[in-house]
Amino acid sequence: STMADDKDVLRDVWFGRIPTCFTLNPDEVTEREAEAYYLLLPRVSYLPVVTDKVKKHFLKVMRAEDVEEMWFEYEGTPLKWHYPIGVLFDLHASNTVLPWNITVHFKNFPDQDLLHCPSNSIVEAHFMSSIKEADALKHKSQVVNDMQKKDHKQLWMGLQNDKFDQFWAMNRKLMEYPTEDGGFRYIPFRIYQTLSDRPFIQKLFRPVSPDCNAHTLGDLLKEMYPDALTNDGEQKRYQVLIHGIEPLLETPLQWLSEHLSHPDNFLHICVVPVPTD
Amino acid sequence: MPVTLLWAVDVYGRVYSLSTVGQQWEHCRNAHLEFKRVTAAQQCCWGIACDNSIYLNVHASDLPIRYQEDTYENQRWNPVDGFSERLLPSDRWQWSDITGLQHQPMASFQLPSSSWEWEGDWFVDENLDGEPTEKEGWTYAMDFPATYTKDKKWNSCVRRRRWLRYRRYKDMDTWAKIPSQQTALPDPFSDISCGGWEISEEPRGRLSLWAVSLQGKVWFREDISHHNPEGSSWVEVPPPGEVVQISCGPGDLVWAVLWEGHLIVREGISRDCPRGTSWAGVESPSPEVGTIHVAVGVNVVWAVTKDNKVWFRRGVNSHNPCGSGWINMVGEMIMINVGLNDQVWAISFEDRLVYFRQGVTSSELSGKTWKAISVPRDGERSHSSASANSQHSAGCFFSGEVRVPSVVSDAELDLEHPPGDVAISSVTFPGLDSFVDAPTNSSSQPCVKPNIPKVTSDSFISELVSDRKPAKTSGGVESASPAVLEEVIPDEGEADVLSSNSTVTITGSGGPSDPQWSNVDLEEAQIQYGQTGAVADSVDSCSLSSLATYSLAMEDQYGVDEHPLWAWVSGGGCSVDSHSQLNWFSYSLNTSAVLQSVQSLSLSVSPAQTAAWRKQIFEQLSERSKREMDNFRHYEQAIEQSVWVKKGAMQWWRDWKPHKWMDVHFALEQFSGAEGHKDGILFIYYNYYEEKKYLHAFINEVTILVPVLNDSKHTFAIYTPERTKQRWPIRVAAGTELEMHDWLALLSVSCCDSRGIHGSPSKQAIWSITCKGDIFVSEPSSALEAMPYPTPCDQMFWRQVGGHLRLVECNSLGIVWGIGFDHTAWVHTGGYGGGFFQGLASSTDNIYTQTDVKSVYIYENQRWNPVTGYTNRGLPTDRYMWSDASGLRECTKTGTKPPSPQWTWVSDWAVDYSVSGGTDREGWQYAADFPASYHGFKTIKDFVRRRRWARKCKLTTTGPWREIPPIPLSDVTILPCAAQSSVDTVPVWAISNKGDVLCRLGVTLLTPAGTSWLHVGTDQPFKSISVGAASQVWGVARDGSAFYRGSVSGPNPAGDCWYHIPSPAKQKLKQVSVGMTSVYTVDENGNLWYRQGVTPSYPQGSSWEHISNNVRKVSVGPLDQVWIIADKVQGSHSLSCGTVCHRLGVQPMEPKGQSWDYGIGGGWDHITVRGNSMEPPRICLPSMTEPLPRAAHTPPPAAP
């Protein structure tokens, strides 16, 4: 059949956008009424990287002395800037009506919930450390350590400026593995859940079983989060979302890691309750 | 689309109407009688009540139906008495009509019926051809009949004066009985059909009304028009047989059904002969089965045969009213009706629901599918349309999609309604959209009822359902939504309820000779209504009765008459077309259930995929993109690309001679400019003698992007101040309309970005309109009216607003009204964008569909020669046989295209009789030679003749405009306010397209459309009106004279009387504009006049002072600033017609100003500066007497 190329998945993942409506927290002191601000947020990026315009928009109606560090909140939940935007959306707002309504705050920064982010260099540092951590799992850090400083910069600039080709020209190297191994050493993944205090589940998990069978998404969940699976005769309770979609459980984990990882090279998996309505 | 009504009668004779914006049938409660049939036009509805009399329901309008009666009082002078009523024996009557031949005393005027009342007593007309007469209104002449003057001369021997009295039709919105004629009609009426309003626009509101009596005779009602809504008398039109039903379309189609089942067609219907001349016969579609019903539109004929089959007649048009052949359509109906735009309604045989034929367009007149109208009747349990609305607005917050609200809230429906009634909410006949040609032997197609699933989302799904498991479907669906039919047949017991047999048993119960055409027997139906449970008896009566019974069975089960049973529907007044968004149809929960089950079915059936997971990911990603991005493409991207280039291939109208279109590369380079504004450069790369060159324009210098009217290319013009001075814009043409719109939208956003202009037009905005109907708005700076150095007019930046208008008026409170080419009135919603503007260039929640209709004219030219008379073979020097008005360009019927590709034809070519100078009965105008002045009759000196043909075309677009129905307007004016003034209710005056003066009540900032019209009586039609800042109202009457309205004030918004103000000598005024104090008028020869001597104590002023020639239109603002559209302005490269110009040097003590500054043009048609109340900064200069520097450089206007 004329199946689309697997590379198309990379583009789809990269160019995923979430229509978002930013509104100013009504408690903020403004000089005049702040209009909502609408943006298409890249799913694979981070809030501080893509919200310069939002900040500028709301600062227009505020006095400088009323402005502290900007942070975001969705329906009472402060949004962690160091999670990819798509993960935040899937975790907190999947199955809701679009656009995604985010509230913008300029005071009362929730120190207990969020990390401070005084500049984008903090995001860059976080992003690069994720990449390094992932490569440690995948290749014992061999690939990322072989890269030069400018190569690291290229990965970050690619993400920051939404340059797919620039990013993938370098990221391609991070996705390679010896054919005989059948995959990475370990799959860099994180499993997020809404109904837990734990930030996420992250353990060592190989893409291939000892008896040389490819591990699947189902295998991973069975080991990491069996509750996420639906047993026979049971009502489905959880959706397993990656980039807003629900891959079949028989999807090979290695393929997922290569194609559905975020630019930070982690496979971010959200387990959310099935909507009740 | 105006809000209009669909009318229907249920089987109990109750009359209901359904509004095109409504979601329930409204019971017409003032119908005291039961009705059998109704037939609707847009302005009224006719009906036959159960007393067999005909009733008329004229829809109330703010514009009264008002008829002017007049009579003349004639006197002769004699030496003894002076002027007296003593006339010579050879003279006319003392009281007569205008000719003097008809005796007409005042007492002879009677009200035509009890539906009329007199407005007041007789009064003298003190106006003669625009000139006021002496107080008593006498006009003098030497003798009868002669030319009368208002001045008495030495030789004036006779005089006369005209008395006027108005009568008014008072029975609005109620069913008024049409008085029966003195000569009693032989028998009662049984069918009625109105139409024919497209045959002629004269007299206004003309209708044809056809009726059938019980004996099968056909009658035509004479003289129905706006001023005579009841018509005058019945005239018999003998048919060749006994007629049982008749249908009259909006145009010249009239078909009738004979008792035997054949059809007859009226031929020879024309403007001069609306009754037609003869009948032609047409066979019934099926030889064995007679026709019981026919319905005609403009170009379509539909019929129903006794077996309830539906037929569409091929090839019907004005020239061939009989058509060429029948096509069998899907569906079983008992009656069918064709309304406006050839849209079709029918009542289903099976469930007695009203069905709408979806997808009927001018290119596909037979439509696509039947769709049940499933709205409740008022008083019934509501299907909660309100909740549907709130859902809709929340869900489609930013959607650019056509809004199709899901009317029924699923969960609610499931809980509240018994399963049985869900089934009626949507029934679509399955995929039989293709035609089935009429079978030659109908026996080969036994009367088998198709296996129709009750609940479907579309034909595709229903086919799947019915194909997969026919037997299971009926059972499976039953649990979720049992079909009504199955539930209510009481005696069928174990029988397979969906098989053909059971149904045939019922339909056939009346036997083939059953007089099914007689539709509803009201009395019988009512008896049954009372006899609950009399099932066995009624089954044996006609098929209709069995249906009535069937409803009784339902009532037993559900207690309430939940499912309306309709008997008759009329769409003649219902203005919908295939674009209309109607809230009449709803889907149910079960629909989506079926949909889901089918989807899962198809998945499991699909061949095993080696990598199902991969396929799943592709599909889901694509769905995700749709879900998360498709509706939001207009959102700004979070990450901007630093330099962004859009390139394309275009054509350019090259600057050097010979001018022609040449292929070029077109590119826009965008970058972030200073202060975060985006800026850009536009490049046009072309070849000049093998050399590659380019032309460029900075985006921040572009003053306007103008779509240009071109019948074959998609072109627009780009102006900069320099190009405006040259009168030579950059003209480019895109390959397709889509490409042009993409470019225009992109460039427009770029221009606005570079200037930091966003969002809705301000309240001070200056609005203008091109001759193409495009709307532009410019934000004035306070320097625009500064003295002595105002912002030059050619530097004004104009941006386009979606929509299509002929005229726009505003004031500084932000109230903006527009009038379309089709005279529809529109109010600005406060939004921006629409049309081809999407995304951030457009607001989202206040953009609506807007349509406009205009006519394209071509001329047929003939020359007389002694041998053949008038022929189309002219002399070599002559014009084309078919041409434009000038005769210079050939315009054939087939070769003439709509004005631009955005327009589509909506009518056929028709002779236009409304040409100035008049025409003969065939529309010809005669003249001695081309080109000359034409007259409407032939003389021996006339060797050439021509006639005008008109064809209507329609444009559908979107914009921030909402219709203000229902009165079509030709002019409107809004009170200009000073900058800080606060006005509660804003005076708005208008002229209807028939010349009535209207005052709009209830216009406020919150309700800019106002609430209702107040009719202001005049003795002649008006054509222009303007209200000044002090509520001074000036109007121009059709005879070219001006009127001032006295005593207009807040409590008395309509004033009390008109003061006649003669026009400048030998000139006919055509437009007036009143600012703070200044009054300006434009006459038909393009002269601009200023009214001298206007003071608060004498607001009428004293005389007219000539200001300029070459003026097409004037707009005077709240600062008394004067702007015009000049007819012709010479630039350095070219000349522009229709140019925006600004009067310079206007000051409080010098309201006439000094000179003109020239702005954007040509092609401009209208401007309003009445919103701009921004006071200019005051600068004191040593010498105010120096000539204005800019004005000195601008060329003078070319002579007209």
Side-chain angles (χ1 to χ4, degrees), chain A residues 17 40 53 163 243 246, chain B residues 620 636-637 640-641:
Chain A
R17 297 286 186 266
L40 285 174
K53 290 174 172 184
K163 303 276 190 207
H243 294 291
E246 287 185 78
Chain B
Q620 289 199 12
E636 197 178 342
Q637 291 285 350
E640 296 295 335
Q641 304 295 318

Side-chain angles (χ1 to χ4, degrees), chain B residues 241-255:
Chain B
E242 220 173 290
V243 169
V244 294
Q245 188 253 329
I246 196 161
S247 176
C248 173
D252 51 13
L253 281 185
V254 174
W255 282 51

Side-chain angles (χ1 to χ4, degrees), chain B residues 145-220:
Chain B
T147 313
Y148 299 85
T149 64
K150 65 192 176 76
D151 302 313
K152 186 159 75 172
K153 298 197 183 101
W154 63 271
N155 60 354
S156 300
C157 292
V158 297
R159 66 176 187 179
R160 70 170 187 186
R161 59 177 170 179
R162 184 175 179 227
W163 288 81
L164 302 173
R165 192 180 193 188
Y166 285 95
R167 59 179 157 87
R168 190 187 281 256
Y169 186 83
K170 64 179 165 67
D171 282 349
M172 295 288 198
D173 272 346
T174 176
W175 292 98
K177 189 170 177 172
I178 298 298
S180 53
Q181 259 163 285
Q182 287 86 347
T183 54
L185 293 170
D187 57 358
F189 288 112
S190 64
D191 190 36
I192 191 170
S193 180
C194 74
W197 48 80
E198 284 180 13
I199 296 176
S200 169
E201 287 176 3
E202 294 294 326
R204 168 186 180 189
R206 205 204 71 79
L207 280 187
S208 294
L209 179 70
W210 295 79
V212 175
S213 64
L214 278 177
Q215 285 182 2
K217 291 181 179 171
V218 173
W219 302 83
F220 182 85

Side-chain angles (χ1 to χ4, degrees), chain B residues 15 116 180 190 323 384 440 487 506 545 562 601 640 708 724 788 806 974 1057 1065 1169 1183:
Chain B
V15 180
W116 292 84
S180 53
S190 64
S384 84
T440 42
E487 291 285 314
I506 288 182
S545 314
E562 186 71 33
L601 198 61
E640 296 295 335
V708 176
T724 301
R806 187 182 57 80
I974 305 168
C1057 63
V1169 296
S1183 167

